[in-house]
Amino acid sequence: MKQKVFPFLIALSALAVSGSAAFYSITGLSKLFAGASTEVIIMASSLEAAKLVMASLLYQYWDKLGKLLRTYLTIALLVLIGITSAGIYGFLSGAYQDTANKASVVDKETQVYKVKKERFEQTKLDYTTEKQRLDNDISQLRGALATGSTTQSIDAKTGQIVTRANNANRKTFETQLNSAIQNKQIVDDKIVAANDSITALDMKILEIESKAELAGELGPLKYISKLTGKPMDQIINWFLLVIIFVFDPLAICLVIAANIAFSQLKPKTTPEVSPKEYQIYNSPPPIVEEPKPEPYIHPSAPLIQKIKKRDDDNIIKYT
């Protein structure tokens, strides 16, 4: 089961990774050459398909391809990997730039509200200083009104202290005191209005900074930026380089792995032979008789036979 299913899983993974890489690369290249986006999409799509075919071709027919053709296909495959990686980098960097532009608008809007808040805080500080001055004036006028409304003197005849009301000074102090109290009330109202404005600006800034979309998109980057002390642009550049160095090369490696897995999946077959060859290969070996050894002949045997033949001839002759 593992031998039959696993190659298909590798092939599906290769198609998924290579397809997504092709989509991001084609989209990025079409945005880069926006004046001819349709033509770029057609060209990039054909190159992406050819890249996968070249990877399989180089693996399966490496020994059968000529050295020059093999070298060219290898270089072309590496160049196409670079083009795809550049397209992916352009697509992802463009997506980040859109988010960064939104964040920049939010930062500028927040900065405007912060400037307004600083102005209201300065106005509140001025009003607070004015209120303190009015409080001091009111305190002094009340003291003066209490001590300056009467005049004490010693009667020459009786020798007793005589207290007389000083109506002129009293009216002046009362007029100044009433004016100071009214001014203080006006200043208090202005301080309250300044506090309300500052609170409203704080709520507006908090609302802008806590937008769910931007907080979710830029939250991790801001955290890593604070953790490493590096700007977000540099951190996102590191992430993009890591992604493009893994993305498309992984797709090519998965395509080659799928070829290896499917080659292992095929059953081993014996070469086809003709009936005559089959009969030759399967017929029993012929029986070969060993030659009989020749009888041993003594070197003097011819001489003995010659003498015997002579004696036989003589016997026949005399008989």
Side-chain angles (χ1 to χ4, degrees):
M1 186 67 181
K2 180 178 69 175
Q3 293 179 352
K4 293 182 179 180
V5 175
F6 193 62
F8 291 98
L9 293 178
I10 297 175
L12 289 176
S13 300
L15 290 176
V17 176
S18 60
S20 58
F23 173 77
Y24 297 144
S25 175
I26 292 169
T27 305
L29 292 174
S30 64
K31 290 182 179 180
L32 183 61
F33 302 98
S37 59
T38 304
E39 292 80 359
V40 171
I41 290 174
I42 296 172
M43 178 190 68
S45 301
S46 61
L47 290 177
E48 290 294 332
K51 180 182 66 178
L52 301 180
V53 174
M54 277 195 298
S56 299
L57 177 65
L58 287 172
Y59 169 73
Q60 295 183 6
Y61 300 97
W62 180 266
D63 296 331
K64 297 180 181 180
L65 295 175
K67 185 176 181 181
L68 182 61
L69 180 59
R70 187 171 58 195
T71 303
Y72 170 75
L73 290 177
T74 303
I75 296 174
L77 181 63
L78 295 176
V79 172
L80 287 176
I81 291 175
I83 293 174
T84 303
S85 300
I88 295 172
Y89 183 87
F91 176 82
L92 295 179
S93 61
Y96 167 73
Q97 192 62 41
D98 293 339
T99 305
N101 291 335
K102 294 179 182 179
S104 178
V105 172
V106 171
D107 291 338
K108 290 180 180 179
E109 187 176 359
T110 304
Q111 187 64 30
V112 170
Y113 285 115
K114 286 181 179 180
V115 171
K116 290 182 178 180
K117 178 184 174 182
E118 290 177 357
R119 291 177 181 174
F120 279 112
E121 287 177 347
Q122 183 62 39
T123 303
K124 177 185 174 182
L125 181 61
D126 295 338
Y127 288 152
T128 303
T129 304
E130 180 67 18
K131 179 182 177 181
Q132 292 175 355
R133 186 185 65 80
L134 291 174
D135 287 337
N136 293 331
D137 291 344
I138 291 172
S139 177
Q140 291 176 2
L141 288 172
R142 285 177 177 173
L145 186 61
T147 58
S149 59
T150 59
T151 302
Q152 293 180 350
S153 61
I154 299 175
D155 191 357
K157 294 181 179 180
T158 61
Q160 296 178 353
I161 299 174
V162 179
T163 301
R164 294 184 180 88
N166 192 350
N167 294 328
N169 291 336
R170 183 179 182 83
K171 290 181 179 180
T172 303
F173 291 153
E174 289 178 352
T175 302
Q176 292 178 354
L177 179 60
N178 293 330
S179 177
I181 292 172
Q182 291 177 358
N183 291 334
K184 180 187 175 183
Q185 184 63 39
I186 295 172
V187 171
D188 287 337
D189 294 338
K190 290 181 178 180
I191 291 174
V192 172
N195 284 327
D196 293 339
S197 299
I198 292 172
T199 303
L201 291 173
D202 285 334
M203 295 299 294
K204 190 68 176 178
I205 293 171
L206 183 61
E207 180 184 356
I208 294 172
E209 290 180 346
S210 62
K211 286 184 177 179
E213 182 180 357
L214 291 178
E217 292 176 355
L218 297 178
L221 291 177
K222 289 183 178 179
Y223 175 76
I224 296 175
S225 178
K226 291 180 181 179
L227 187 64
T228 58
K230 302 293 183 180
M232 284 199 302
D233 291 341
Q234 187 173 358
I235 292 173
I236 197 65
N237 188 55
W238 291 346
F239 275 121
L240 293 180
L241 291 177
V242 170
I243 290 172
I244 65 173
F245 282 131
V246 174
F247 209 150
D248 201 50
L250 176 61
I252 299 300
C253 292
L254 286 175
V255 170
I256 296 175
N259 281 274
I260 296 174
F262 280 110
S263 65
Q264 298 295 326
L265 186 62
K266 295 179 180 178
K268 295 181 179 179
T269 58
T270 56
E272 296 182 358
V273 295
S274 62
K276 184 177 181 181
E277 291 176 340
Y278 181 80
Q279 185 178 4
I280 293 173
Y281 292 150
N282 290 276
S283 59
I287 299 174
V288 179
E289 295 182 356
E290 296 182 358
K292 295 181 180 181
E294 295 180 357
Y296 177 75
I297 300 175
H298 195 272
S300 60
L303 180 61
I304 294 173
Q305 290 180 358
K306 186 176 181 181
I307 294 172
K308 184 178 180 182
K309 183 179 181 182
R310 186 188 63 182
D311 293 339
D312 292 340
D313 292 339
N314 292 330
I315 293 171
I316 293 172
K317 181 178 177 182
Y318 288 108
T319 56

PDB file of all heavy atoms in Angstrom, residues 125-139:
ATOM      1  N   LEU A 125      -2.481  73.280  29.891  1.00  0.00           N
ATOM      2  CA  LEU A 125      -1.451  73.743  30.815  1.00  0.00           C
ATOM      3  C   LEU A 125      -1.520  75.257  31.011  1.00  0.00           C
ATOM      4  O   LEU A 125      -1.394  75.763  32.146  1.00  0.00           O
ATOM      5  CB  LEU A 125      -0.066  73.331  30.296  1.00  0.00           C
ATOM      6  CG  LEU A 125       1.132  73.713  31.167  1.00  0.00           C
ATOM      7  CD1 LEU A 125       1.035  73.061  32.537  1.00  0.00           C
ATOM      8  CD2 LEU A 125       2.440  73.306  30.482  1.00  0.00           C
ATOM      9  N   ASP A 126      -1.744  75.993  29.929  1.00  0.00           N
ATOM     10  CA  ASP A 126      -1.891  77.457  30.045  1.00  0.00           C
ATOM     11  C   ASP A 126      -3.121  77.826  30.887  1.00  0.00           C
ATOM     12  O   ASP A 126      -3.060  78.728  31.741  1.00  0.00           O
ATOM     13  CB  ASP A 126      -2.011  78.083  28.651  1.00  0.00           C
ATOM     14  CG  ASP A 126      -0.734  77.905  27.839  1.00  0.00           C
ATOM     15  OD1 ASP A 126       0.333  77.694  28.442  1.00  0.00           O
ATOM     16  OD2 ASP A 126      -0.813  77.962  26.594  1.00  0.00           O
ATOM     17  N   TYR A 127      -4.232  77.118  30.646  1.00  0.00           N
ATOM     18  CA  TYR A 127      -5.438  77.377  31.429  1.00  0.00           C
ATOM     19  C   TYR A 127      -5.223  77.031  32.901  1.00  0.00           C
ATOM     20  O   TYR A 127      -5.722  77.721  33.806  1.00  0.00           O
ATOM     21  CB  TYR A 127      -6.620  76.582  30.876  1.00  0.00           C
ATOM     22  CG  TYR A 127      -7.146  77.099  29.562  1.00  0.00           C
ATOM     23  CD1 TYR A 127      -7.769  76.252  28.645  1.00  0.00           C
ATOM     24  CD2 TYR A 127      -7.027  78.445  29.224  1.00  0.00           C
ATOM     25  CE1 TYR A 127      -8.262  76.732  27.439  1.00  0.00           C
ATOM     26  CE2 TYR A 127      -7.517  78.932  28.010  1.00  0.00           C
ATOM     27  CZ  TYR A 127      -8.120  78.063  27.134  1.00  0.00           C
ATOM     28  OH  TYR A 127      -8.604  78.544  25.936  1.00  0.00           O
ATOM     29  N   THR A 128      -4.479  75.947  33.143  1.00  0.00           N
ATOM     30  CA  THR A 128      -4.205  75.569  34.533  1.00  0.00           C
ATOM     31  C   THR A 128      -3.357  76.629  35.230  1.00  0.00           C
ATOM     32  O   THR A 128      -3.599  76.975  36.400  1.00  0.00           O
ATOM     33  CB  THR A 128      -3.480  74.209  34.561  1.00  0.00           C
ATOM     34  OG1 THR A 128      -4.276  73.235  33.901  1.00  0.00           O
ATOM     35  CG2 THR A 128      -3.236  73.753  35.987  1.00  0.00           C
ATOM     36  N   THR A 129      -2.378  77.164  34.501  1.00  0.00           N
ATOM     37  CA  THR A 129      -1.557  78.249  35.073  1.00  0.00           C
ATOM     38  C   THR A 129      -2.424  79.488  35.346  1.00  0.00           C
ATOM     39  O   THR A 129      -2.290  80.148  36.395  1.00  0.00           O
ATOM     40  CB  THR A 129      -0.420  78.598  34.111  1.00  0.00           C
ATOM     41  OG1 THR A 129       0.348  77.418  33.841  1.00  0.00           O
ATOM     42  CG2 THR A 129       0.488  79.658  34.709  1.00  0.00           C
ATOM     43  N   GLU A 130      -3.314  79.821  34.407  1.00  0.00           N
ATOM     44  CA  GLU A 130      -4.217  80.950  34.591  1.00  0.00           C
ATOM     45  C   GLU A 130      -5.146  80.708  35.778  1.00  0.00           C
ATOM     46  O   GLU A 130      -5.427  81.627  36.566  1.00  0.00           O
ATOM     47  CB  GLU A 130      -5.035  81.160  33.319  1.00  0.00           C
ATOM     48  CG  GLU A 130      -6.017  82.320  33.376  1.00  0.00           C
ATOM     49  CD  GLU A 130      -5.348  83.677  33.455  1.00  0.00           C
ATOM     50  OE1 GLU A 130      -4.142  83.769  33.122  1.00  0.00           O
ATOM     51  OE2 GLU A 130      -6.004  84.656  33.840  1.00  0.00           O
ATOM     52  N   LYS A 131      -5.602  79.493  35.942  1.00  0.00           N
ATOM     53  CA  LYS A 131      -6.475  79.184  37.070  1.00  0.00           C
ATOM     54  C   LYS A 131      -5.734  79.346  38.394  1.00  0.00           C
ATOM     55  O   LYS A 131      -6.297  79.881  39.378  1.00  0.00           O
ATOM     56  CB  LYS A 131      -6.993  77.749  36.940  1.00  0.00           C
ATOM     57  CG  LYS A 131      -7.886  77.323  38.084  1.00  0.00           C
ATOM     58  CD  LYS A 131      -8.331  75.878  37.920  1.00  0.00           C
ATOM     59  CE  LYS A 131      -9.166  75.447  39.126  1.00  0.00           C
ATOM     60  NZ  LYS A 131      -9.608  74.043  39.026  1.00  0.00           N
ATOM     61  N   GLN A 132      -4.486  78.896  38.455  1.00  0.00           N
ATOM     62  CA  GLN A 132      -3.710  79.078  39.682  1.00  0.00           C
ATOM     63  C   GLN A 132      -3.519  80.554  40.014  1.00  0.00           C
ATOM     64  O   GLN A 132      -3.600  80.971  41.170  1.00  0.00           O
ATOM     65  CB  GLN A 132      -2.357  78.378  39.536  1.00  0.00           C
ATOM     66  CG  GLN A 132      -2.449  76.851  39.471  1.00  0.00           C
ATOM     67  CD  GLN A 132      -1.108  76.204  39.208  1.00  0.00           C
ATOM     68  OE1 GLN A 132      -0.104  76.898  38.977  1.00  0.00           O
ATOM     69  NE2 GLN A 132      -1.077  74.869  39.236  1.00  0.00           N
ATOM     70  N   ARG A 133      -3.286  81.358  38.965  1.00  0.00           N
ATOM     71  CA  ARG A 133      -3.133  82.793  39.203  1.00  0.00           C
ATOM     72  C   ARG A 133      -4.429  83.397  39.712  1.00  0.00           C
ATOM     73  O   ARG A 133      -4.433  84.218  40.653  1.00  0.00           O
ATOM     74  CB  ARG A 133      -2.709  83.484  37.905  1.00  0.00           C
ATOM     75  CG  ARG A 133      -2.370  84.972  38.068  1.00  0.00           C
ATOM     76  CD  ARG A 133      -2.074  85.596  36.725  1.00  0.00           C
ATOM     77  NE  ARG A 133      -3.257  85.585  35.865  1.00  0.00           N
ATOM     78  CZ  ARG A 133      -4.245  86.490  35.969  1.00  0.00           C
ATOM     79  NH1 ARG A 133      -4.226  87.446  36.897  1.00  0.00           N
ATOM     80  NH2 ARG A 133      -5.285  86.415  35.144  1.00  0.00           N
ATOM     81  N   LEU A 134      -5.556  83.012  39.133  1.00  0.00           N
ATOM     82  CA  LEU A 134      -6.844  83.516  39.591  1.00  0.00           C
ATOM     83  C   LEU A 134      -7.164  83.060  41.004  1.00  0.00           C
ATOM     84  O   LEU A 134      -7.747  83.813  41.804  1.00  0.00           O
ATOM     85  CB  LEU A 134      -7.945  83.077  38.628  1.00  0.00           C
ATOM     86  CG  LEU A 134      -7.924  83.722  37.238  1.00  0.00           C
ATOM     87  CD1 LEU A 134      -8.969  83.090  36.332  1.00  0.00           C
ATOM     88  CD2 LEU A 134      -8.164  85.237  37.341  1.00  0.00           C
ATOM     89  N   ASP A 135      -6.785  81.818  41.326  1.00  0.00           N
ATOM     90  CA  ASP A 135      -6.986  81.353  42.703  1.00  0.00           C
ATOM     91  C   ASP A 135      -6.203  82.201  43.688  1.00  0.00           C
ATOM     92  O   ASP A 135      -6.700  82.551  44.781  1.00  0.00           O
ATOM     93  CB  ASP A 135      -6.577  79.885  42.825  1.00  0.00           C
ATOM     94  CG  ASP A 135      -7.565  78.952  42.156  1.00  0.00           C
ATOM     95  OD1 ASP A 135      -8.733  79.346  42.001  1.00  0.00           O
ATOM     96  OD2 ASP A 135      -7.159  77.831  41.776  1.00  0.00           O
ATOM     97  N   ASN A 136      -4.975  82.528  43.320  1.00  0.00           N
ATOM     98  CA  ASN A 136      -4.183  83.391  44.201  1.00  0.00           C
ATOM     99  C   ASN A 136      -4.815  84.779  44.334  1.00  0.00           C
ATOM    100  O   ASN A 136      -4.873  85.352  45.439  1.00  0.00           O
ATOM    101  CB  ASN A 136      -2.755  83.514  43.663  1.00  0.00           C
ATOM    102  CG  ASN A 136      -1.995  82.197  43.749  1.00  0.00           C
ATOM    103  OD1 ASN A 136      -2.276  81.384  44.638  1.00  0.00           O
ATOM    104  ND2 ASN A 136      -1.051  81.994  42.841  1.00  0.00           N
ATOM    105  N   ASP A 137      -5.305  85.319  43.188  1.00  0.00           N
ATOM    106  CA  ASP A 137      -5.945  86.641  43.241  1.00  0.00           C
ATOM    107  C   ASP A 137      -7.200  86.615  44.116  1.00  0.00           C
ATOM    108  O   ASP A 137      -7.458  87.536  44.912  1.00  0.00           O
ATOM    109  CB  ASP A 137      -6.296  87.117  41.832  1.00  0.00           C
ATOM    110  CG  ASP A 137      -5.055  87.431  41.011  1.00  0.00           C
ATOM    111  OD1 ASP A 137      -3.957  87.585  41.607  1.00  0.00           O
ATOM    112  OD2 ASP A 137      -5.166  87.489  39.765  1.00  0.00           O
ATOM    113  N   ILE A 138      -7.987  85.591  43.965  1.00  0.00           N
ATOM    114  CA  ILE A 138      -9.209  85.483  44.761  1.00  0.00           C
ATOM    115  C   ILE A 138      -8.878  85.378  46.242  1.00  0.00           C
ATOM    116  O   ILE A 138      -9.535  86.001  47.107  1.00  0.00           O
ATOM    117  CB  ILE A 138     -10.038  84.277  44.283  1.00  0.00           C
ATOM    118  CG1 ILE A 138     -10.604  84.552  42.887  1.00  0.00           C
ATOM    119  CG2 ILE A 138     -11.173  83.964  45.264  1.00  0.00           C
ATOM    120  CD1 ILE A 138     -11.276  83.357  42.248  1.00  0.00           C
ATOM    121  N   SER A 139      -7.867  84.596  46.554  1.00  0.00           N
ATOM    122  CA  SER A 139      -7.480  84.456  47.955  1.00  0.00           C
ATOM    123  C   SER A 139      -7.009  85.799  48.532  1.00  0.00           C
ATOM    124  O   SER A 139      -7.365  86.178  49.663  1.00  0.00           O
ATOM    125  CB  SER A 139      -6.384  83.397  48.074  1.00  0.00           C
ATOM    126  OG  SER A 139      -5.934  83.271  49.398  1.00  0.00           O
TER     127      SER A 139
END
